[in-house]
Amino acid sequence: MKKGLLITISIIAMISLVGCAAGADGSAGAQGIQGIQGPAGAAGADGADGAAGPAGPAGAAGAAGKAGAPGAKGATGPAGPSGAASTGVVSADVSGTTAIISGAGFDSGKSITITAGGIEVGSATASSGGAFSVQVSTIGLPSGAHALMANDAMNVIVIGGGSALQSAP
């Protein structure tokens, strides 16, 4: 009987399988049981890099450096027009629209050009003692202080008056 039981169970199992595979009306049978899980797959490739993050805050200010060494002494300037330093002096005595320009310390017989504010106002020749004195007109010179030059000797001449230009009386 054991043999018959085994055959009977086998036949019932086959009928069950056939019945599960196709229903009586030809429709799909019931879902079978889930199989066991397979082994883990290989790791996938790395993904692309993400976008850059925002800029960080500014760094702290650096320390101030040491002060540099003092500069070298400049070169000596060229000699004056005569090749020597001026020894002459010049002065002015202004009265109305005229001025007496006087000077001393010039070479005997030297020709002297007199300017006020860059405008030539007269000339003179140094005496045997190196002095000169000449009267010049101040008409046309603007009121105010001007550089008074007698060759390379310098002083200041001040022209007064109520208007911008001196006028004849």
Side-chain angles (χ1 to χ4, degrees), residues 48-56:
D49 289 342

Side-chain angles (χ1 to χ4, degrees), residues 4-25:
L5 183 59
L6 183 61
I7 293 175
T8 306
I9 293 176
S10 295
I11 292 173
I12 294 173
M14 287 197 312
I15 293 172
S16 293
L17 285 176
V18 171
C20 286
D25 60 357

Side-chain angles (χ1 to χ4, degrees), residues 27-159:
S27 64
Q31 182 176 351
I33 60 170
Q34 181 177 354
I36 61 172
Q37 183 174 351
D46 289 343
D49 289 342
K66 295 189 317 185
K73 182 178 177 183
T76 302
S82 67
S86 173
T87 56
V89 293
V90 63
S91 64
D93 181 20
V94 180
S95 177
T97 58
T98 61
I100 306 282
I101 309 294
S102 303
F106 293 88
D107 293 336
S108 175
K110 178 133 186 158
S111 178
I112 300 165
T113 301
I114 303 165
T115 62
I119 301 169
E120 187 174 335
V121 293
S123 62
T125 302
S127 67
S128 60
F132 74 91
S133 183
V134 64
Q135 182 173 337
V136 298
S137 172
T138 60
I139 295 174
L141 289 175
S143 296
H146 303 281
L148 174 64
M149 301 288 297
N151 289 359
D152 57 348
M154 185 172 134
N155 204 336
V156 176
I157 184 171
V158 178
I159 307 297

